Amino acid sequence: MTVLPADEATRTWALHPDRALPSDPGVRSVAREILRSTQHLPIVSMHGHVDAAMLADDEQFPDPAALLVTPDHYLVRMLVSQATAPGAVRDAGVRTVADLGVGPDPETDPRVIWRRFCAGWEAFRGTPTRFWLEHVFIEVFEAPVPPSAATADVLFDHLSDRLARPEYRPRALFERFGIEVLATTDPATASLEAHARLAADGWAGRVIPTFRPDPLLEPARGDWGSLLSGLSESSGIDALRYDGFLEALRARRRAFIRAGARATDHGHLRPDTTPLADADARRLFDDARRGEIDSAAAAAFTAHMLFQMAEMSAEDGLVMQLHPGVVRDHDRGAAARYGHDIGYDIPIATEFTRALRPALEAFGHHPNFRMVVFTVDETVYSRELAPLAGAYPGLRLGAPWWFLDSPDAMRRFRESTTDTAGFRNTSGFVDDTRAFCSIPARHDLSRRADAGYLARLVAEHRLDLDEALDAAADLAYRLARDSYPAPAGAAA
């Protein structure tokens, strides 16, 4: 049994009820009232990366490190960024992501990984990661003390005890969190077997897949040929020719819709939606099959396929989610050694006005078309995306996310977009997380940030309180639900 130092043993750890609310006393009082009206609304989580198999299996989580540290790229990247600086992280033995359990030949002792994380707790001061984790530790796990080198073993033992209890299994936590709908993100060729098991257990419509075809739309990939073979196998259609390729994608979309999907998801470098003539698209497809396509031609084909995805969404009703503007695997050596999604995805400046014009001119007024656009380039909010969302019925502006899901960035989002797009041309909050236990924490922060913004509008006599309360319900719940309608044929 680990014994804490006296100052740690007597310390009380609790969440402040006014965290992330405005500091002005008058505005804060209004924000409290608005927040109270939304705190217990259900969570609609329409974009995330939780594994459906986790809920289908409903097995005990293995250990605190596997649950909270290793899969969280926000957390891993911060600790690795401190690996060579004098201090606790270096002293704890963090050099690469492998020291936190990621990639080939990783650290396998969960207690060692946990100690390394706790030693680096100070690195998260002021970050949304700190906000989320405090919520997880205190609200979900009733942790007695914050992380530190001195408390690491006590916390590990406390969380391990909780994880051994049936009320901490995935489905029990799902119910406790008040999640109404949880969307996963799945490759276009996924079997959706875990979703089928959940549906058989009565969870149809509660955990739903999202169609993510990105690798299939990027013909310069070295594994593109094998991906086409996988698409052929999963769809039962020959995808090794261009027309069959399109039909195979349509077939997979139909399979996702039958499994309850409401959306597609696209994360390419650029949002260009310029279509090609059919003859040119076929030629580029054939060139790529032979391995004879250059980067410019590959980008043109990807843009063409984004237009095709928009056309298919107008046909079948799947909401088209688009989130471009990130250089994936910025450290190519780290990606080669340890794999993808380890924190080296870095934003770039992104242009939307011209890039989206072809798709929006073609489908932006189509009654069956909906596109939700996200960005990590907040300079385009007021200049491009809010004006576009304020003009086209088929376009909604996605929530601030990824590098922008912090209290200050959420406030800047509202200040940048509301003048032009209002509230109802936005999509509601999405948590975009693999960290299952952080879902309620992320939605809580969003509701607090919006309560603060709406309270300022009330204090400035720009909204009446009853309007602010109604808008808060939109932002916390109704917009996320209504932005992702179920297409015809989706599982009930």
Side-chain angles (χ1 to χ4, degrees):
M1 176 179 174
T2 304
V3 179
L4 289 174
D7 59 337
E8 293 284 2
T10 59
R11 181 175 179 180
T12 300
W13 196 28
L15 296 175
H16 196 288
D18 291 335
R19 60 194 183 278
L21 295 185
S23 58
D24 178 88
V27 179
R28 175 175 284 188
S29 177
V30 178
R32 287 172 181 156
E33 183 170 355
I34 294 171
L35 180 62
R36 280 195 295 270
S37 73
T38 63
Q39 276 187 304
H40 301 294
L41 289 174
I43 288 174
V44 178
S45 177
M46 295 306 299
H47 185 118
H49 302 281
V50 170
D51 186 359
M54 177 195 74
L55 288 158
D57 297 339
D58 197 32
E59 295 177 348
Q60 176 182 322
F61 291 110
D63 60 76
L67 175 62
L68 299 175
V69 179
T70 301
D72 190 336
H73 64 86
Y74 281 94
L75 189 156
V76 168
R77 74 191 302 273
M78 177 61 79
L79 294 177
V80 171
S81 77
Q82 294 290 300
T84 60
V89 173
R90 188 178 70 178
D91 294 346
V94 175
R95 297 292 183 274
T96 69
V97 297
D99 297 318
L100 297 167
V102 177
D105 194 25
E107 174 62 61
T108 57
D109 186 332
R111 193 176 288 271
V112 170
I113 296 170
W114 187 257
R115 288 171 179 163
R116 289 169 175 165
F117 156 64
C118 289
W121 180 245
E122 292 179 357
F124 298 101
R125 288 173 176 167
T127 68
T129 301
R130 161 91 174 239
F131 188 99
W132 303 327
L133 284 171
E134 286 184 331
H135 186 285
V136 170
F137 283 134
I138 296 170
E139 292 292 310
V140 179
F141 290 104
E142 302 169 315
V145 289
S148 70
T151 65
D153 285 337
V154 166
L155 275 178
F156 188 92
D157 293 338
H158 176 90
L159 268 65
S160 296
D161 171 75
R162 292 298 189 271
L163 292 175
R165 302 179 185 183
E167 60 266 31
Y168 285 86
R169 291 204 174 184
R171 293 193 192 185
L173 288 175
F174 187 102
E175 301 288 2
R176 177 178 161 190
F177 294 163
I179 300 173
E180 183 174 294
V181 181
L182 174 70
T184 64
T185 303
D186 309 88
T189 56
S191 70
L192 304 179
E193 177 269 340
H195 287 277
R197 285 193 283 138
L198 283 165
D201 288 346
W203 282 57
R206 302 191 69 193
V207 182
I208 59 177
T210 300
F211 179 79
R212 182 76 179 265
D214 284 6
L216 290 162
L217 310 189
E218 296 182 351
R221 290 175 58 108
D223 61 350
W224 195 61
S226 63
L227 293 172
L228 293 182
S229 297
L231 177 61
S232 298
E233 181 178 354
S234 63
S235 66
I237 296 170
D238 180 7
L240 302 182
R241 52 187 181 82
Y242 175 70
D243 292 314
F245 173 65
L246 294 182
E247 186 51 42
L249 288 170
R250 288 189 175 93
R252 292 304 300 157
R253 291 170 67 106
R254 291 192 294 269
F256 271 69
I257 290 172
R258 289 192 297 272
R262 300 188 190 179
T264 69
D265 187 35
H266 309 272
H268 305 283
L269 182 63
R270 302 290 183 186
D272 186 11
T273 59
T274 304
L276 298 168
D278 283 349
D280 292 332
R282 288 190 180 89
R283 175 177 55 80
L284 291 183
F285 183 90
D286 291 340
D287 288 347
R289 288 276 330 277
R290 294 190 298 270
E292 299 173 356
I293 192 167
D294 61 25
S295 59
F301 186 82
T302 299
H304 169 75
M305 287 306 304
L306 282 177
F307 185 91
Q308 296 299 312
M309 293 293 101
E311 183 173 34
M312 291 181 196
S313 282
E315 294 169 356
D316 62 27
L318 284 174
V319 175
M320 183 177 180
Q321 296 179 113
L322 183 62
H323 51 90
V326 176
V327 173
R328 308 281 177 168
D329 299 326
H330 191 272
D331 186 334
R332 288 167 288 196
R337 287 191 297 273
Y338 305 116
H340 308 290
D341 301 319
I342 58 173
Y344 288 101
D345 296 341
I346 309 297
I348 61 170
T350 307
E351 191 278 334
F352 289 91
T353 300
R354 295 180 181 86
L356 295 182
R357 190 175 192 177
L360 291 177
E361 282 188 323
F363 311 111
H365 294 270
H366 193 289
N368 204 38
F369 179 74
R370 171 72 51 78
M371 176 187 285
V372 179
V373 178
F374 302 88
T375 185
V376 284
D377 178 7
E378 62 182 322
T379 68
V380 302
Y381 279 145
S382 61
R383 185 180 67 246
E384 300 187 38
L385 289 179
L388 285 168
Y392 286 95
L395 181 66
R396 289 200 173 176
L397 178 52
W401 71 338
W402 206 339
F403 294 102
L404 301 177
D405 48 7
S406 66
D408 291 330
M410 289 177 178
R411 172 184 51 79
R412 293 194 299 269
F413 171 79
R414 293 294 174 206
E415 292 173 345
S416 299
T417 64
T418 304
D419 288 351
T420 306
F423 295 124
R424 291 195 171 180
N425 286 315
T426 61
S427 69
F429 182 67
V430 301
D431 49 73
D432 183 43
T433 186
R434 293 174 176 81
F436 176 61
C437 289
S438 77
I439 290 175
R442 293 169 190 242
H443 285 260
D444 175 69
L445 177 55
S446 174
R447 294 174 186 191
R448 288 172 180 275
D450 285 337
Y453 178 75
L454 290 165
R456 180 165 69 82
L457 298 188
V458 172
E460 295 173 357
H461 304 288
R462 296 166 61 188
L463 281 182
D464 292 334
L465 179 58
D466 61 339
E467 293 181 291
L469 292 169
D470 189 58
D474 276 345
L475 299 177
Y477 173 65
R478 290 193 294 252
L479 282 173
R481 180 194 64 192
D482 297 343
S483 294
Y484 294 85

